[in-house]
Amino acid sequence: MPETKRQKATLGSLYDKMRKREPITMITCYDYPMADLVEKAGVDMVLVGDSMGMTILGYDSTLPVTQDVMIPHVQAVRRGTPNAWLIGDMPYMTYQPSVETAIRNAGRFMAECGCDAIKLEGGAAMADRIKGIVDAGIPAIGHLGLTPQSVSALGGFRVQGKSAALAKKIVDDAKALEKAGAFAILLEMVPDRLCKIITERAEGCIIMSLGSGPDAHGQLLIYHDMFGLYPKFKPKMAKVYGNAGEVILNGLKAYHDEVIGKQFPKEENWFGMPDEELEELRKMLE
Ligand code: KIV
């Protein structure tokens, strides 16, 4: 497949796509080799999500992830994808305590990792954090619907905003984030009709969908869900584009069998030594 020759994504290029109703693509990513592929595929936005707590580190939630754990991953992704719009996901308790905490920690993703933007979870209650970060010159994305850092309060990983009353709260939260200056809002696992309403009402704010239907300005998927790399479950919203997990597992089994069966390694897999050097070595060892 030909690689996309790409230019650096900017806020301007993203807004341009939104205005022209060209769908915007976004994916999570957590390391250098994945980021290199994402770069070559031409994906617009890359989120180093605190979902890495689950996909990479094997926790049952995102809550144990710290910013110090995330930073080397965000740096690696930046090295792999210099041109995608890179977003650092603010982990649990790096922005909730105060506006000042939020600004300082958002600044770490920008200064230490070369991010283009940050993302944080929550609605009207977090609007002052978004405003503070944006006023500090850092583009910010809000995240509504299923917000995994509040999984306990939300009653589990489930669709949000199914009733009119709860849907109205999400519509109001989206407006609050937009007014606070969020350049984009991610809607995770809300009904498609609610996503459509929020997208229609957005005034210059990019609406992204994760499992929230086709009417947003763009789509996000989690890398590990797309390629069969998360062993615990496959969310309904994820489409599997290839089973890399199966390919790797088959390769590992073959390697294990070949070593046991003495079929690996073969001559092309090791490094030789000239006869005279070997002779010399033998003499030295006598
Ligand atoms: O951490 C993450 O990857 C996220 C997505 C689920 C949106 O926040």
Side-chain angles (χ1 to χ4, degrees):
M1 198 193 294
E3 283 169 19
T4 315
K5 261 259 171 272
R6 59 178 308 177
Q7 294 196 314
K8 172 96 185 93
T10 61
L11 214 41
S13 67
L14 295 170
Y15 280 138
D16 237 34
K17 284 198 170 194
M18 177 195 71
R19 278 190 286 266
K20 291 183 193 150
R21 291 301 297 191
E22 283 174 23
I24 297 169
T25 54
M26 180 173 175
I27 190 169
T28 65
C29 187
Y30 317 96
D31 62 31
Y32 174 79
M34 283 181 186
D36 175 63
L37 297 173
V38 165
E39 170 82 9
K40 288 171 178 156
V43 176
D44 297 308
M45 293 205 263
V46 173
L47 171 70
V48 184
D50 64 353
S51 52
M52 65 173 284
M54 300 171 77
T55 54
I56 299 283
L57 301 174
Y59 293 120
D60 287 330
S61 79
T62 60
L63 303 195
V65 178
T66 65
Q67 197 169 20
D68 284 340
V69 164
M70 284 189 72
I71 277 178
H73 288 267
V74 185
Q75 291 166 336
V77 171
R78 176 81 293 171
R79 287 190 283 271
T81 179
N83 291 308
W85 181 257
L86 179 64
I87 302 148
D89 197 15
M90 307 274 295
Y92 189 51
M93 288 301 146
T94 59
Y95 58 95
Q96 289 93 340
S98 68
V99 174
E100 187 183 331
T101 317
I103 297 169
R104 282 193 193 288
N105 289 324
R108 286 193 70 190
F109 275 141
M110 306 300 282
E112 295 176 41
C113 308
C115 280
D116 298 300
I118 61 86
K119 175 177 86 59
L120 58 80
E121 299 181 8
M126 290 297 130
D128 60 350
R129 274 55 160 191
I130 292 274
K131 180 167 178 354
I133 290 168
V134 172
D135 286 350
I138 301 172
I141 303 190
H143 180 171
L144 297 172
L146 173 63
T147 45
Q149 290 174 17
S150 308
V151 65
S152 180
L154 296 176
F157 293 97
R158 57 176 61 166
V159 180
Q160 301 295 313
K162 285 211 293 200
S163 71
L166 291 174
K168 169 75 166 57
K169 163 101 176 60
I170 296 174
V171 172
D172 292 345
D173 279 340
K175 253 316 145 205
L177 295 181
E178 185 172 350
K179 282 205 179 113
F183 80 91
I185 296 172
L186 170 68
L187 297 177
E188 177 171 353
M189 282 177 74
V190 306
D192 59 342
R193 289 170 158 177
L194 173 56
C195 178
K196 184 166 195 284
I197 287 172
I198 292 173
T199 307
E200 283 166 358
R201 293 168 72 101
E203 294 158 292
C205 184
I206 298 169
I207 307 298
M208 298 297 294
S209 159
L210 172 57
S212 301
D215 295 308
H217 300 115
Q219 297 291 323
L220 165 67
L221 278 181
I222 307 281
Y223 198 108
H224 284 56
D225 296 338
M226 293 172 71
F227 296 108
L229 291 169
Y230 187 61
K232 289 190 180 164
F233 57 85
K234 184 195 97 51
K236 172 178 185 292
M237 61 207 177
K239 176 170 174 186
V240 178
Y241 281 85
N243 203 332
E246 197 173 289
V247 171
I248 293 169
L249 177 61
N250 289 338
L252 289 170
K253 284 181 178 162
Y255 163 70
H256 181 71
D257 290 349
E258 285 189 8
V259 172
I260 290 171
K262 304 201 169 162
Q263 296 153 294
F264 178 88
K266 293 208 188 322
E267 203 168 343
E268 67 265 25
N269 307 118
W270 67 64
F271 305 91
M273 185 185 214
D275 292 348
E276 58 280 13
E277 295 299 333
L278 178 63
E279 207 43 50
E280 180 81 18
L281 174 63
R282 286 213 163 108
K283 278 191 205 140
M284 289 165 83
L285 295 175
E286 271 167 17

Short mmCIF file of all heavy atoms in Angstrom, two decimals, residues 143-197:
data_model
loop_
_atom_site.label_atom_id
_atom_site.label_comp_id
_atom_site.label_asym_id
_atom_site.label_seq_id
_atom_site.Cartn_x
_atom_site.Cartn_y
_atom_site.Cartn_z
N HIS A 143 -13.54 15.52 27.22
CA HIS A 143 -13.92 14.11 27.04
C HIS A 143 -15.19 13.89 27.87
O HIS A 143 -15.17 14.05 29.09
CB HIS A 143 -12.75 13.24 27.53
CG HIS A 143 -12.95 11.77 27.43
ND1 HIS A 143 -11.93 10.85 27.64
CD2 HIS A 143 -14.06 11.00 27.15
CE1 HIS A 143 -12.38 9.63 27.49
NE2 HIS A 143 -13.68 9.69 27.21
N LEU A 144 -16.28 13.53 27.17
CA LEU A 144 -17.58 13.35 27.83
C LEU A 144 -18.16 11.98 27.49
O LEU A 144 -17.71 11.31 26.57
CB LEU A 144 -18.56 14.44 27.34
CG LEU A 144 -18.20 15.89 27.67
CD1 LEU A 144 -19.16 16.84 26.95
CD2 LEU A 144 -18.24 16.12 29.18
N GLY A 145 -19.24 11.62 28.22
CA GLY A 145 -19.87 10.32 28.03
C GLY A 145 -19.24 9.34 29.00
O GLY A 145 -19.15 9.62 30.20
N LEU A 146 -18.77 8.22 28.47
CA LEU A 146 -18.06 7.28 29.35
C LEU A 146 -16.66 7.83 29.59
O LEU A 146 -15.82 7.84 28.69
CB LEU A 146 -17.98 5.90 28.71
CG LEU A 146 -17.10 4.94 29.52
CD1 LEU A 146 -17.69 4.69 30.90
CD2 LEU A 146 -16.89 3.64 28.81
N THR A 147 -16.45 8.33 30.78
CA THR A 147 -15.14 8.89 31.14
C THR A 147 -14.49 7.89 32.10
O THR A 147 -14.88 7.81 33.28
CB THR A 147 -15.32 10.28 31.79
OG1 THR A 147 -16.39 10.22 32.73
CG2 THR A 147 -15.64 11.33 30.73
N PRO A 148 -13.51 7.11 31.62
CA PRO A 148 -13.04 5.95 32.40
C PRO A 148 -12.48 6.29 33.78
O PRO A 148 -12.51 5.44 34.67
CB PRO A 148 -11.97 5.33 31.49
CG PRO A 148 -12.35 5.76 30.11
CD PRO A 148 -12.94 7.12 30.26
N GLN A 149 -11.99 7.51 33.98
CA GLN A 149 -11.48 7.84 35.32
C GLN A 149 -12.61 7.92 36.35
O GLN A 149 -12.36 7.90 37.54
CB GLN A 149 -10.69 9.15 35.29
CG GLN A 149 -9.37 9.02 34.53
CD GLN A 149 -8.64 10.35 34.37
OE1 GLN A 149 -8.92 11.32 35.06
NE2 GLN A 149 -7.70 10.39 33.44
N SER A 150 -13.87 8.03 35.88
CA SER A 150 -15.02 8.08 36.80
C SER A 150 -15.82 6.78 36.74
O SER A 150 -17.02 6.77 37.03
CB SER A 150 -15.95 9.24 36.42
OG SER A 150 -15.22 10.42 36.31
N VAL A 151 -15.16 5.70 36.35
CA VAL A 151 -15.88 4.45 36.07
C VAL A 151 -16.69 3.99 37.28
O VAL A 151 -17.80 3.45 37.14
CB VAL A 151 -14.90 3.35 35.56
CG1 VAL A 151 -13.89 2.94 36.59
CG2 VAL A 151 -15.66 2.15 35.03
N SER A 152 -16.18 4.24 38.45
CA SER A 152 -16.89 3.79 39.65
C SER A 152 -18.20 4.57 39.80
O SER A 152 -19.27 3.99 40.00
CB SER A 152 -15.95 4.00 40.84
OG SER A 152 -16.57 3.59 42.00
N ALA A 153 -18.12 5.90 39.66
CA ALA A 153 -19.32 6.74 39.80
C ALA A 153 -20.31 6.47 38.66
O ALA A 153 -21.52 6.59 38.84
CB ALA A 153 -18.91 8.21 39.79
N LEU A 154 -19.81 6.08 37.50
CA LEU A 154 -20.69 5.86 36.33
C LEU A 154 -21.32 4.46 36.34
O LEU A 154 -22.14 4.14 35.49
CB LEU A 154 -19.91 6.06 35.03
CG LEU A 154 -19.38 7.47 34.76
CD1 LEU A 154 -18.55 7.51 33.48
CD2 LEU A 154 -20.52 8.48 34.68
N GLY A 155 -20.90 3.62 37.25
CA GLY A 155 -21.49 2.28 37.35
C GLY A 155 -20.92 1.29 36.36
O GLY A 155 -21.60 0.35 35.95
N GLY A 156 -19.68 1.50 35.92
CA GLY A 156 -19.03 0.54 35.01
C GLY A 156 -18.85 1.11 33.62
O GLY A 156 -19.22 2.26 33.35
N PHE A 157 -18.24 0.29 32.75
CA PHE A 157 -17.98 0.71 31.37
C PHE A 157 -19.27 0.53 30.57
O PHE A 157 -19.50 -0.53 29.99
CB PHE A 157 -16.84 -0.11 30.77
CG PHE A 157 -15.50 0.16 31.42
CD1 PHE A 157 -15.02 -0.67 32.42
CD2 PHE A 157 -14.71 1.24 31.02
CE1 PHE A 157 -13.79 -0.42 33.03
CE2 PHE A 157 -13.48 1.49 31.62
CZ PHE A 157 -13.02 0.67 32.62
N ARG A 158 -20.14 1.52 30.58
CA ARG A 158 -21.42 1.37 29.89
C ARG A 158 -21.82 2.66 29.15
O ARG A 158 -21.29 3.73 29.45
CB ARG A 158 -22.50 0.96 30.87
CG ARG A 158 -22.65 1.94 32.02
CD ARG A 158 -23.77 1.55 32.91
NE ARG A 158 -23.53 0.22 33.49
CZ ARG A 158 -24.21 -0.26 34.52
NH1 ARG A 158 -25.17 0.45 35.05
NH2 ARG A 158 -23.94 -1.45 35.00
N VAL A 159 -22.78 2.52 28.23
CA VAL A 159 -23.24 3.67 27.44
C VAL A 159 -23.78 4.75 28.38
O VAL A 159 -24.47 4.45 29.35
CB VAL A 159 -24.35 3.22 26.46
CG1 VAL A 159 -24.85 4.41 25.63
CG2 VAL A 159 -23.84 2.12 25.55
N GLN A 160 -23.47 6.01 28.06
CA GLN A 160 -23.91 7.14 28.89
C GLN A 160 -24.89 8.01 28.10
O GLN A 160 -24.77 8.14 26.88
CB GLN A 160 -22.69 7.98 29.29
CG GLN A 160 -21.64 7.22 30.07
CD GLN A 160 -22.13 6.75 31.42
OE1 GLN A 160 -22.75 7.51 32.18
NE2 GLN A 160 -21.89 5.48 31.75
N GLY A 161 -25.85 8.61 28.83
CA GLY A 161 -26.76 9.59 28.20
C GLY A 161 -27.89 8.94 27.42
O GLY A 161 -28.31 9.49 26.40
N LYS A 162 -28.37 7.81 27.92
CA LYS A 162 -29.47 7.14 27.19
C LYS A 162 -30.82 7.81 27.47
O LYS A 162 -31.69 7.83 26.63
CB LYS A 162 -29.51 5.66 27.56
CG LYS A 162 -28.39 4.88 26.89
CD LYS A 162 -28.73 3.44 26.57
CE LYS A 162 -28.92 2.55 27.74
NZ LYS A 162 -28.79 1.13 27.42
N SER A 163 -31.02 8.33 28.70
CA SER A 163 -32.29 8.99 29.00
C SER A 163 -32.18 10.46 28.58
O SER A 163 -31.07 11.01 28.50
CB SER A 163 -32.59 8.92 30.50
OG SER A 163 -31.70 9.75 31.20
N ALA A 164 -33.35 11.09 28.35
CA ALA A 164 -33.36 12.49 27.92
C ALA A 164 -32.64 13.36 28.95
O ALA A 164 -31.86 14.25 28.59
CB ALA A 164 -34.80 12.95 27.72
N ALA A 165 -32.88 13.10 30.23
CA ALA A 165 -32.30 13.95 31.28
C ALA A 165 -30.77 13.85 31.28
O ALA A 165 -30.06 14.86 31.35
CB ALA A 165 -32.86 13.57 32.63
N LEU A 166 -30.27 12.61 31.18
CA LEU A 166 -28.80 12.44 31.19
C LEU A 166 -28.18 12.97 29.90
O LEU A 166 -27.09 13.54 29.91
CB LEU A 166 -28.44 10.97 31.42
CG LEU A 166 -28.78 10.45 32.84
CD1 LEU A 166 -28.52 8.95 32.93
CD2 LEU A 166 -27.98 11.19 33.91
N ALA A 167 -28.93 12.82 28.81
CA ALA A 167 -28.44 13.33 27.52
C ALA A 167 -28.35 14.86 27.58
O ALA A 167 -27.37 15.46 27.12
CB ALA A 167 -29.36 12.90 26.39
N LYS A 168 -29.35 15.50 28.21
CA LYS A 168 -29.35 16.98 28.33
C LYS A 168 -28.12 17.44 29.12
O LYS A 168 -27.47 18.44 28.75
CB LYS A 168 -30.65 17.40 29.02
CG LYS A 168 -30.72 18.85 29.47
CD LYS A 168 -30.94 19.81 28.30
CE LYS A 168 -31.34 21.21 28.73
NZ LYS A 168 -30.46 21.92 29.62
N LYS A 169 -27.78 16.68 30.16
CA LYS A 169 -26.60 17.05 30.96
C LYS A 169 -25.33 17.02 30.08
O LYS A 169 -24.47 17.90 30.17
CB LYS A 169 -26.50 16.08 32.14
CG LYS A 169 -25.19 16.00 32.85
CD LYS A 169 -25.24 16.79 34.15
CE LYS A 169 -23.98 16.70 35.00
NZ LYS A 169 -22.77 17.14 34.39
N ILE A 170 -25.25 16.01 29.20
CA ILE A 170 -24.05 15.91 28.34
C ILE A 170 -24.04 17.05 27.31
O ILE A 170 -22.98 17.62 27.02
CB ILE A 170 -23.98 14.50 27.68
CG1 ILE A 170 -23.80 13.44 28.78
CG2 ILE A 170 -22.84 14.42 26.67
CD1 ILE A 170 -23.84 12.00 28.31
N VAL A 171 -25.22 17.40 26.79
CA VAL A 171 -25.30 18.55 25.86
C VAL A 171 -24.81 19.82 26.57
O VAL A 171 -23.99 20.58 26.04
CB VAL A 171 -26.76 18.75 25.35
CG1 VAL A 171 -26.87 20.05 24.55
CG2 VAL A 171 -27.20 17.57 24.50
N ASP A 172 -25.27 20.02 27.81
CA ASP A 172 -24.87 21.22 28.57
C ASP A 172 -23.37 21.18 28.88
O ASP A 172 -22.68 22.20 28.79
CB ASP A 172 -25.65 21.31 29.89
CG ASP A 172 -27.13 21.60 29.65
OD1 ASP A 172 -27.47 21.99 28.51
OD2 ASP A 172 -27.93 21.41 30.58
N ASP A 173 -22.86 19.99 29.23
CA ASP A 173 -21.42 19.86 29.51
C ASP A 173 -20.60 20.21 28.27
O ASP A 173 -19.56 20.88 28.36
CB ASP A 173 -21.10 18.43 29.95
CG ASP A 173 -21.41 18.20 31.42
OD1 ASP A 173 -21.51 19.18 32.19
OD2 ASP A 173 -21.56 17.02 31.82
N ALA A 174 -21.08 19.74 27.11
CA ALA A 174 -20.34 20.02 25.86
C ALA A 174 -20.29 21.52 25.63
O ALA A 174 -19.24 22.08 25.26
CB ALA A 174 -21.00 19.30 24.69
N LYS A 175 -21.40 22.21 25.85
CA LYS A 175 -21.42 23.68 25.66
C LYS A 175 -20.45 24.35 26.63
O LYS A 175 -19.70 25.28 26.26
CB LYS A 175 -22.82 24.22 25.91
CG LYS A 175 -23.62 24.65 24.71
CD LYS A 175 -22.86 25.47 23.69
CE LYS A 175 -23.38 25.09 22.31
NZ LYS A 175 -22.51 25.28 21.22
N ALA A 176 -20.42 23.85 27.88
CA ALA A 176 -19.54 24.46 28.89
C ALA A 176 -18.07 24.30 28.47
O ALA A 176 -17.27 25.23 28.60
CB ALA A 176 -19.78 23.82 30.25
N LEU A 177 -17.72 23.13 27.95
CA LEU A 177 -16.33 22.90 27.53
C LEU A 177 -16.00 23.76 26.32
O LEU A 177 -14.91 24.34 26.22
CB LEU A 177 -16.11 21.42 27.19
CG LEU A 177 -16.24 20.42 28.35
CD1 LEU A 177 -15.96 19.00 27.87
CD2 LEU A 177 -15.31 20.77 29.51
N GLU A 178 -16.96 23.85 25.40
CA GLU A 178 -16.73 24.67 24.20
C GLU A 178 -16.51 26.13 24.60
O GLU A 178 -15.57 26.78 24.15
CB GLU A 178 -17.92 24.53 23.24
CG GLU A 178 -17.69 25.24 21.94
CD GLU A 178 -18.75 24.97 20.90
OE1 GLU A 178 -19.59 24.07 21.09
OE2 GLU A 178 -18.71 25.66 19.87
N LYS A 179 -17.38 26.62 25.51
CA LYS A 179 -17.25 28.03 25.97
C LYS A 179 -15.92 28.24 26.68
O LYS A 179 -15.33 29.32 26.62
CB LYS A 179 -18.39 28.37 26.92
CG LYS A 179 -19.68 28.65 26.21
CD LYS A 179 -20.58 29.56 27.05
CE LYS A 179 -21.87 29.86 26.33
NZ LYS A 179 -23.04 29.27 26.97
N ALA A 180 -15.43 27.21 27.37
CA ALA A 180 -14.17 27.34 28.11
C ALA A 180 -12.97 27.35 27.16
O ALA A 180 -11.85 27.62 27.59
CB ALA A 180 -14.04 26.19 29.11
N GLY A 181 -13.21 26.99 25.89
CA GLY A 181 -12.13 27.10 24.90
C GLY A 181 -11.60 25.78 24.37
O GLY A 181 -10.60 25.77 23.64
N ALA A 182 -12.26 24.66 24.73
CA ALA A 182 -11.81 23.36 24.18
C ALA A 182 -11.88 23.42 22.65
O ALA A 182 -12.89 23.84 22.10
CB ALA A 182 -12.69 22.23 24.70
N PHE A 183 -10.79 23.00 21.98
CA PHE A 183 -10.86 23.03 20.51
C PHE A 183 -11.57 21.79 19.98
O PHE A 183 -12.03 21.75 18.85
CB PHE A 183 -9.46 23.16 19.87
CG PHE A 183 -8.67 21.88 19.79
CD1 PHE A 183 -8.76 21.06 18.67
CD2 PHE A 183 -7.86 21.47 20.84
CE1 PHE A 183 -8.04 19.88 18.59
CE2 PHE A 183 -7.14 20.28 20.78
CZ PHE A 183 -7.22 19.48 19.66
N ALA A 184 -11.69 20.76 20.84
CA ALA A 184 -12.38 19.53 20.42
C ALA A 184 -12.99 18.87 21.65
O ALA A 184 -12.57 19.13 22.79
CB ALA A 184 -11.39 18.57 19.75
N ILE A 185 -13.99 18.04 21.40
CA ILE A 185 -14.59 17.25 22.48
C ILE A 185 -14.74 15.82 21.97
O ILE A 185 -15.25 15.59 20.86
CB ILE A 185 -15.98 17.80 22.89
CG1 ILE A 185 -15.83 19.22 23.46
CG2 ILE A 185 -16.66 16.87 23.91
CD1 ILE A 185 -17.16 19.93 23.71
N LEU A 186 -14.27 14.89 22.78
CA LEU A 186 -14.45 13.47 22.46
C LEU A 186 -15.69 12.96 23.18
O LEU A 186 -15.83 13.14 24.39
CB LEU A 186 -13.21 12.70 22.94
CG LEU A 186 -13.37 11.18 22.89
CD1 LEU A 186 -13.45 10.69 21.45
CD2 LEU A 186 -12.23 10.51 23.61
N LEU A 187 -16.59 12.34 22.41
CA LEU A 187 -17.77 11.72 23.00
C LEU A 187 -17.57 10.21 22.98
O LEU A 187 -17.50 9.60 21.91
CB LEU A 187 -19.03 12.08 22.20
CG LEU A 187 -19.39 13.57 22.16
CD1 LEU A 187 -20.60 13.79 21.27
CD2 LEU A 187 -19.67 14.09 23.58
N GLU A 188 -17.45 9.63 24.16
CA GLU A 188 -17.21 8.18 24.24
C GLU A 188 -18.49 7.48 24.68
O GLU A 188 -19.06 7.79 25.74
CB GLU A 188 -16.08 7.89 25.24
CG GLU A 188 -15.83 6.39 25.41
CD GLU A 188 -14.59 6.04 26.21
OE1 GLU A 188 -13.81 6.96 26.55
OE2 GLU A 188 -14.41 4.85 26.50
N MET A 189 -18.93 6.55 23.87
CA MET A 189 -20.07 5.69 24.18
C MET A 189 -21.31 6.47 24.62
O MET A 189 -21.87 6.21 25.68
CB MET A 189 -19.68 4.66 25.25
CG MET A 189 -18.87 3.53 24.66
SD MET A 189 -18.32 2.33 25.87
CE MET A 189 -19.81 1.44 26.27
N VAL A 190 -21.70 7.44 23.78
CA VAL A 190 -23.03 8.04 23.95
C VAL A 190 -23.86 7.62 22.73
O VAL A 190 -23.29 7.28 21.69
CB VAL A 190 -22.97 9.59 24.10
CG1 VAL A 190 -22.03 10.01 25.21
CG2 VAL A 190 -22.60 10.28 22.78
N PRO A 191 -25.20 7.66 22.83
CA PRO A 191 -26.02 7.23 21.68
C PRO A 191 -25.75 8.09 20.45
O PRO A 191 -25.47 9.30 20.57
CB PRO A 191 -27.44 7.43 22.19
CG PRO A 191 -27.34 7.39 23.68
CD PRO A 191 -26.01 8.00 24.01
N ASP A 192 -25.86 7.48 19.28
CA ASP A 192 -25.56 8.20 18.02
C ASP A 192 -26.39 9.47 17.87
O ASP A 192 -25.90 10.50 17.40
CB ASP A 192 -25.75 7.25 16.81
CG ASP A 192 -27.16 6.69 16.70
OD1 ASP A 192 -27.92 6.73 17.71
OD2 ASP A 192 -27.52 6.20 15.61
N ARG A 193 -27.66 9.42 18.31
CA ARG A 193 -28.51 10.60 18.12
C ARG A 193 -28.07 11.77 19.00
O ARG A 193 -28.20 12.93 18.62
CB ARG A 193 -29.96 10.24 18.44
CG ARG A 193 -30.54 9.33 17.37
CD ARG A 193 -31.85 8.78 17.80
NE ARG A 193 -32.62 8.36 16.65
CZ ARG A 193 -33.81 7.79 16.74
NH1 ARG A 193 -34.37 7.57 17.90
NH2 ARG A 193 -34.45 7.44 15.65
N LEU A 194 -27.56 11.43 20.17
CA LEU A 194 -27.05 12.48 21.06
C LEU A 194 -25.78 13.09 20.45
O LEU A 194 -25.59 14.32 20.45
CB LEU A 194 -26.78 11.87 22.44
CG LEU A 194 -26.09 12.78 23.46
CD1 LEU A 194 -26.86 14.08 23.66
CD2 LEU A 194 -25.92 12.05 24.79
N CYS A 195 -24.93 12.23 19.92
CA CYS A 195 -23.69 12.71 19.28
C CYS A 195 -24.04 13.65 18.12
O CYS A 195 -23.41 14.70 17.94
CB CYS A 195 -22.88 11.51 18.81
SG CYS A 195 -21.36 11.95 17.96
N LYS A 196 -25.06 13.28 17.37
CA LYS A 196 -25.47 14.11 16.21
C LYS A 196 -25.93 15.49 16.68
O LYS A 196 -25.53 16.52 16.13
CB LYS A 196 -26.59 13.38 15.45
CG LYS A 196 -27.07 14.05 14.19
CD LYS A 196 -27.92 13.07 13.39
CE LYS A 196 -28.14 13.50 11.97
NZ LYS A 196 -29.10 14.55 11.77
N ILE A 197 -26.74 15.50 17.75
CA ILE A 197 -27.25 16.79 18.26
C ILE A 197 -26.09 17.67 18.72
O ILE A 197 -26.01 18.86 18.40
CB ILE A 197 -28.24 16.53 19.43
CG1 ILE A 197 -29.56 15.97 18.87
CG2 ILE A 197 -28.49 17.80 20.25
CD1 ILE A 197 -30.54 15.51 19.92
#
